[in-house]
Amino acid sequence: MPFPIGTAAMAGQFDDPAWVHLALTHVSQLTPEWEMKMEYILAGPDDYRWDAPDRIAAFCVTHGLRLHGHALIWYAQGAEVFEGLDRARFIEAFDGYIATVAGRYRGRAVGWDVVNEAVAEDGNGLRDCHWSRALGQDGYIARAFEQAKAADPDAVLFLNDYNLENNPTKGATFLRLVERLLKAGVPIGGLGTQSHLDIEIPAGQTRAFFRDAAAFGLPIHVSELDASLRSEGRIDTRSPRQRIDQQTARVAELTEAFVALPPAQRYAFTVWGMRDTDSWLRRDARDDGKDSPLLFDAAGQPTPMFDAVAGVIRAR
């Protein structure tokens, strides 16, 4: 492959021979889906749980796969541990967490999502969260990257977010944040776009975001690709074939935009799960058992989305 292909993994999937066979056949990089997040690792300021993340890291070593660390600082996690701390202890715990986690996998993780989802949901500014209230909206991001760089200086350090293709306002805010942080000397090493694609977005919108993001010259990670066929409550008169055609067109455009990057900027192309039934989109009350957001169906057979991605890569 001309660049690494990745998937999300959970340690329990290593006990499923069908999943293992599919992953080892098609991917060269794993991202822990949940078990390297703070919610899993950190039970208290000095209480760490390593069983599952260590197992994922060991699986990568055993099978010659790259490990991408996900995620050190995320607005959605950590409040229950950090919010009761005074400022001095907050900073000590913040720095210590990053040093401990990134340091544990130093030399094994090729990259880290250092800060995850810093931009507000609607794209207008940055999120208000326990990290920003203690350290400032840009301040906590800058500090996280500085601490990660000290803990694992050879890893590629990513700012990672979602809806950057789906919402041009959010994409522009993300890129302004990157520009501002780089000018301040923050050691951002790469840009992660989750690419949970809305199949309704206009043609060309994904390509435009990649063009603007590529101007920084940094590695880009398609970090969590999936593309739901659901209509999300909208009245939907499209046939299943029309929905699949929209899905594959948007995914093909994303793949084309990624493979058009200079080789040094193609960090990895990661799909957020192997089979449709592994997807987070198939784990909630909305699931009707029919969504097909990934490259393989429940039986491990390629979906039309697989053909869209593979067709673009083979054409290169």
Side-chain angles (χ1 to χ4, degrees):
M1 293 297 298
F3 45 81
I5 301 291
T7 192
M10 292 189 289
Q13 291 169 324
F14 304 155
D15 300 322
D16 177 354
W19 186 95
V20 170
H21 174 75
L22 199 62
L24 295 183
T25 300
H26 292 283
V27 308
S28 56
Q29 176 176 296
L30 296 185
T31 301
E33 182 173 348
W34 175 61
E35 292 157 327
M36 208 173 269
K37 289 185 169 85
M38 186 179 288
E39 183 179 55
Y40 185 90
I41 289 178
L42 193 66
D46 299 302
D47 186 4
Y48 293 83
R49 180 165 57 154
W50 300 115
D51 55 338
D54 279 357
R55 190 178 179 197
I56 294 170
F59 185 91
C60 288
V61 171
T62 298
H63 295 285
L65 304 175
R66 292 174 17 140
L67 172 66
H68 180 78
H70 174 78
L72 292 172
I73 297 296
W74 185 25
Y75 81 92
Q77 295 181 357
E80 66 283 357
V81 175
F82 281 79
E83 282 194 323
L85 304 177
D86 62 37
R87 179 174 172 79
R89 183 69 182 102
F90 188 106
I91 291 172
E92 179 185 5
F94 183 91
D95 293 355
Y97 178 81
I98 295 171
T100 300
V101 178
R104 187 177 184 89
Y105 301 103
R106 178 173 176 166
R108 290 186 283 174
V110 295
W112 280 97
D113 293 328
V114 176
V115 174
N116 194 45
E117 301 177 1
V119 179
E121 181 75 20
D122 62 3
N124 292 309
L126 304 185
R127 291 185 186 274
D128 173 66
C129 61
H130 49 293
W131 311 120
S132 65
R133 288 191 292 272
L135 299 172
Q137 285 192 318
D138 286 10
Y140 86 89
I141 302 170
R143 190 176 191 97
F145 275 92
E146 289 159 1
Q147 295 301 314
K149 185 70 173 177
D152 194 355
D154 295 327
V156 185
L157 305 180
F158 284 85
L159 185 67
N160 190 54
D161 220 313
Y162 71 101
N163 277 352
L164 304 179
E165 303 96 346
N166 297 337
N167 180 349
T169 299
K170 189 167 186 176
T173 299
F174 177 85
L175 296 178
R176 286 195 301 270
L177 172 63
V178 171
E179 182 177 28
R180 189 164 69 245
L181 293 171
L182 289 173
K183 284 182 177 178
V186 176
I188 295 175
L191 309 181
T193 177
Q194 293 181 17
S195 300
H196 298 293
L197 291 182
D198 182 348
I199 65 174
E200 304 282 350
I201 64 175
Q205 195 160 293
T206 293
R207 191 174 291 109
F209 173 76
F210 270 74
R211 180 195 63 230
D212 294 342
F216 290 104
L218 296 172
I220 293 176
H221 186 194
V222 171
S223 60
E224 304 184 19
L225 170 62
D226 50 36
S228 177
L229 295 170
R230 292 173 179 161
S231 57
E232 296 298 345
R234 297 185 291 257
I235 296 175
D236 194 347
T237 60
R238 297 168 302 168
S239 69
R241 181 71 257 171
Q242 287 173 318
R243 291 198 296 273
I244 290 170
D245 286 347
Q246 281 187 278
Q247 178 199 57
T248 53
R250 298 291 74 76
V251 170
E253 181 184 331
L254 173 78
T255 312
E256 289 164 357
F258 183 79
V259 301
L261 295 168
Q265 289 188 261
R266 298 192 303 238
Y267 173 81
F269 190 90
T270 293
V271 182
W272 208 237
M274 290 301 305
R275 303 162 299 197
D276 289 336
T277 44
D278 298 320
S279 174
W280 67 285
L281 294 165
R282 296 284 299 269
R283 295 183 199 141
D284 62 29
R286 299 174 300 166
D287 180 36
D288 61 3
K290 298 178 182 178
D291 199 10
S292 182
L294 296 175
L295 302 188
F296 299 93
D297 65 18
Q301 296 302 305
T303 63
M305 190 168 146
F306 174 92
D307 294 333
V309 171
V312 171
I313 294 173
R314 289 172 184 147
R316 297 288 294 189

